[in-house]
């Protein structure tokens, strides 16, 4: 079973790092196919922590090659910063770098004017709570056909023209927002500074990924963000500017749908969201605070407290549908320990009546319908199989599995690698 996509089923931050780490034990390639430095994983290396935003967490496994595919937008300066940190912490070395990390020459470069525009917009009325890393404006340039693929850095004269044209196009926008853009000269200084180290990492990565699949090697496509942040399928306009859903694995890495064998949906045992936008099951009370603190729900890119809420079963059914989810990795079940009761959203009250559907276009007005389930008090971190869990926790899992129509493959009961119940490993022949 070589081609496996791991995709967030909610608004991102479902605990991808741990699940990807578990699955990459055997994977030859880990491919990031969308987004940019708006994502963030905390890698724990001994007593030290490294936060990576661009490099997949598979980089910690020496037998794994990481690919940043062409659906991504890449801030070259940040990428080099991450590489340097990984090298200084002895997780990468200069000799093996080019064989461990490959970057698409068609991934677009996030340059300082993208970051400037993103930040200026976030100060104004149109703010949606972005991560201010320049992701949206970079994808806008790509769609407007004035973007700069990293491969363009091979030709400095061409890059200089593209930079000048892009800055000219963004200037009126910056002026209207009351700000300024960096000069073309400053941007070109940056390009010259990073170019010699970026160019050796570049390749036509679609060939790399397809070659591995043809050889029947295990390839993990690592989604970033989550289904409800997808540009097409999310809570527009409160979305990111890329395609985190599973179809993005194909378009974003140049692989046909026939090559994907399994789609795993990551589901956090409750719901979180960072940034603005509707969130019907949000908790603004002490229970929400409790979930935030127990689950350490603070953004790894911006440090912002995440909004927290109950699980939304119609939302998960929607995610199963738009991604074709075959199996679920349920994370952070341990965070729910200690609650007297747990509410689950089972449907919505809409102007058209009650519905089991997720009202994607009416989320701001639809009212969630809840059912109350029993909570459990005991710690569950030592559970090695489902039978070790308290009855109430098992009932919660059974309910999720039954309602969303996809089986549980993995249940995470603690933050450590061994605090995981694996029911079906996608790269171990199904068990
Ligand atoms: P952008 O991707 O920085 O443009 O932000 C657009 C929206 O997506 C904002 O609501 C962000 O908070 C959200 N977002 C982007 N990346 C992530 C992520 O990795 N986890 C959760 N939310 C994210």
């Amino acid at each position: 079973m070589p081609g496996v996509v791991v995709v967030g089923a909610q608004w991102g931050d479902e605990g991808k790092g741990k699940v990807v780490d578990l699955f990459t034990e055997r994977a030859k390639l880990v491919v990031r196919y969308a987004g940019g430095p708006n994502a963030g994983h905390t890698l724990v290396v001994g007593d030290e922590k490294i936060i990576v935003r661009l490099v997949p967490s598979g980089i910690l496994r020496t037998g794994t090659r990481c690919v940043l595919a062409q659906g991504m937008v890449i801030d070259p300066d940040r990428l080099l910063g991450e590489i340097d940190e990984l090298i200084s912490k002895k997780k990468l070395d200069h000799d093996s770098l080019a064989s461990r990390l490959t970057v698409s020459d068609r991934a677009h470069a996030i340059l300082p004017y993208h970051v400037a525009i993103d930040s200026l917009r976030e100060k104004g009325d149109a703010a949606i709570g972005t991560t201010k890393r320049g992701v949206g404006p970079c994808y806008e340039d790509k769609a407007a056909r004035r973007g700069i693929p990293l491969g363009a850095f091979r030709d400095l004269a061409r890059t200089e023209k593209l930079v000048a044209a892009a800055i000219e196009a963004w200037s009126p926008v910056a002026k209207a927002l009351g700000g300024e853009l960096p000069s073309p000269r400053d941007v070109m200084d940056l390009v010259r500074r990073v170019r010699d180290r970026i160019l050796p990492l570049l390749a036509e990565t679609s060939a790399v990924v397809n070659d591995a699949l043809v050889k029947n090697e295990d390839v993990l496509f690592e989604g970033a963000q989550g289904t409800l942040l997808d540009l097409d399928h999310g809570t527009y306009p409160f979305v990111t500017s890329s395609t985190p859903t599973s179809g993005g694995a194909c378009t974003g890495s140049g692989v046909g749908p026939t090559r994907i064998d399994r789609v795993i949906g990551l589901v956090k045992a409750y719901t979180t969201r960072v940034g603005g936008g509707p969130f019907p099951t949000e908790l603004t009370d002490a229970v929400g605070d409790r979930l935030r603190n127990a689950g350490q729900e603070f953004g790894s890119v911006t440090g912002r407290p995440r909004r927290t809420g109950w699980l939304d079963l119609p939302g998960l059914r929607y995610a199963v549908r738009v991604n074709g989810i075959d199996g679920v990795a349920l994370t952070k079940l341990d965070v729910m320990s200690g609650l007297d009761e747990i509410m689950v959203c089972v449907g919505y009250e809409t102007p058209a009546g009650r519905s089991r559907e997720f009202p994607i276009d009416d989320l701001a007005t639809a009212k969630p319908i809840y059912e109350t389930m029993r909570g459990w008090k005991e710690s569950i971190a030592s559970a090695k199989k489902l039978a070790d869990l308290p009855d109430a926790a098992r009932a919660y899992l059974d309910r999720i599995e039954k309602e969303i129509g996809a089986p549980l493959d993995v249940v995470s009961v603690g933050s450590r690698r061994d605090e995981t119940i694996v029911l079906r490993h996608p790269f171990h022949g199904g068990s």
Side-chain angles (χ1 to χ4, degrees):
M1 176 151 304
V4 173
V5 181
V6 172
V7 65
Q10 294 149 314
W11 275 289
D13 308 314
E14 292 91 354
K16 215 163 288 145
K18 179 177 165 182
V19 175
V20 168
D21 179 58
L22 177 80
F23 291 169
T24 46
E25 222 175 340
R26 280 191 33 167
K28 273 274 181 281
L29 283 188
V30 179
V31 183
R32 251 198 79 182
Y33 56 85
N38 46 355
H41 294 312
T42 305
L43 308 180
V44 181
V45 185
D47 293 336
E48 289 175 314
K49 282 186 177 175
I50 308 175
I51 294 181
V52 286
R53 312 195 190 295
L54 290 159
V55 176
S57 40
I59 204 72
L60 293 187
R61 305 249 184 210
T62 45
T64 304
R65 181 172 180 185
C66 292
V67 172
L68 307 188
Q70 96 283 349
M72 288 187 71
V73 287
I74 295 175
D75 181 328
D77 211 17
R78 266 182 197 281
L79 176 61
L80 294 179
E82 282 179 27
I83 291 172
D84 286 342
E85 193 178 356
L86 286 161
I87 289 176
S88 77
K89 298 200 170 138
K90 304 206 176 341
K91 290 292 133 195
L92 255 187
D93 60 63
H94 289 285
D95 295 338
S96 60
L97 176 60
S99 61
R100 301 276 333 276
L101 188 68
T102 306
V103 181
S104 168
D105 49 10
R106 276 183 285 153
H108 280 239
I110 297 182
L111 291 169
Y113 46 89
H114 296 127
V115 181
I117 292 287
D118 203 358
S119 305
L120 285 170
R121 280 185 182 148
E122 285 299 307
K123 287 187 195 141
D125 294 341
I128 64 151
T130 75
T131 58
K132 298 193 239 177
R133 295 291 188 266
V135 168
C138 184
Y139 279 117
E140 285 174 62
D141 270 355
K142 178 178 174 181
R145 293 172 292 228
R146 58 164 188 252
I148 308 187
L150 287 170
F153 286 8
R154 294 185 182 113
D155 179 344
L156 276 177
R158 178 176 166 225
T159 307
E160 198 159 3
K161 277 193 196 139
L162 291 170
V163 165
I167 291 180
E168 196 181 328
W170 283 115
S171 288
V173 181
K175 205 167 160 203
L177 292 167
E180 282 189 12
L181 295 180
S183 70
R185 177 193 293 223
D186 287 347
V187 175
M188 284 311 293
D189 282 350
L190 177 130
V191 172
R192 281 192 196 90
R193 179 164 56 78
V194 298
R195 174 178 182 266
D196 288 350
R197 295 186 61 200
I198 291 288
L199 293 185
L201 302 177
L202 301 185
E204 208 285 80
T205 48
S206 153
V208 175
V209 181
N210 277 278
D211 282 354
L213 288 166
V214 166
K215 283 193 228 146
N216 222 25
E217 291 176 344
D218 292 331
V219 177
L220 186 97
F221 296 88
E222 176 183 329
Q225 289 80 49
T227 302
L228 297 176
L229 289 172
D230 186 280
L231 185 57
D232 288 283
H233 302 290
T235 48
Y236 191 88
F238 298 94
V239 293
T240 192
S241 306
S242 67
T243 305
T245 45
S246 59
C250 294
T251 50
S253 60
V255 158
T258 46
R259 300 283 182 211
I260 305 297
D261 299 283
R262 194 168 180 83
V263 178
I264 313 260
L266 282 158
V267 175
K268 183 149 54 183
Y270 47 97
T271 311
T272 60
R273 169 162 213 174
V274 232
F279 180 1
T281 63
E282 182 168 12
L283 286 163
T284 49
D285 58 4
V287 181
D289 291 341
R290 193 182 176 290
L291 290 175
R292 184 175 308 105
N293 292 325
Q296 308 248 315
E297 298 294 353
F298 298 90
S300 56
V301 174
T302 58
R304 288 179 286 179
R306 294 180 185 139
R307 300 157 68 191
T308 50
W310 297 120
L311 198 64
D312 185 329
L313 294 172
L316 293 179
R317 280 195 287 272
Y318 175 79
V320 168
R321 164 154 60 91
V322 299
N323 290 293
I325 290 173
D326 299 300
V328 164
L330 190 114
T331 62
K332 294 197 160 183
L333 186 62
D334 51 303
V335 173
M336 308 291 279
S337 294
L339 293 171
D340 291 325
E341 41 187 41
I342 293 172
M343 314 263 275
V344 272
C345 169
V346 294
Y348 278 91
E349 201 77 70
T350 71
R354 286 185 156 220
S355 168
R356 286 181 85 240
E357 294 294 312
F358 187 57
I360 182 78
D361 296 316
D362 281 316
L363 275 188
T365 50
K367 296 259 174 304
I369 303 167
Y370 289 108
E371 276 185 27
T372 306
M373 298 188 71
R374 269 189 311 128
W376 62 93
K377 292 286 179 191
E378 50 275 64
S379 158
I380 56 169
S382 60
K384 297 289 170 228
K385 47 188 190 315
L386 293 183
D388 297 337
L389 293 171
D391 289 349
R394 281 219 312 279
Y396 188 53
L397 296 181
D398 287 348
R399 182 77 196 262
I400 296 169
E401 205 168 29
K402 187 166 139 261
E403 294 265 357
I404 70 175
L408 293 174
D409 284 359
V410 172
V411 178
S412 171
V413 291
S415 55
R416 288 190 2 211
R417 207 179 259 179
D418 58 347
E419 291 170 338
T420 316
I421 302 172
V422 181
L423 302 161
R424 187 182 204 284
H425 193 302
F427 294 135
H428 288 189
S431 62

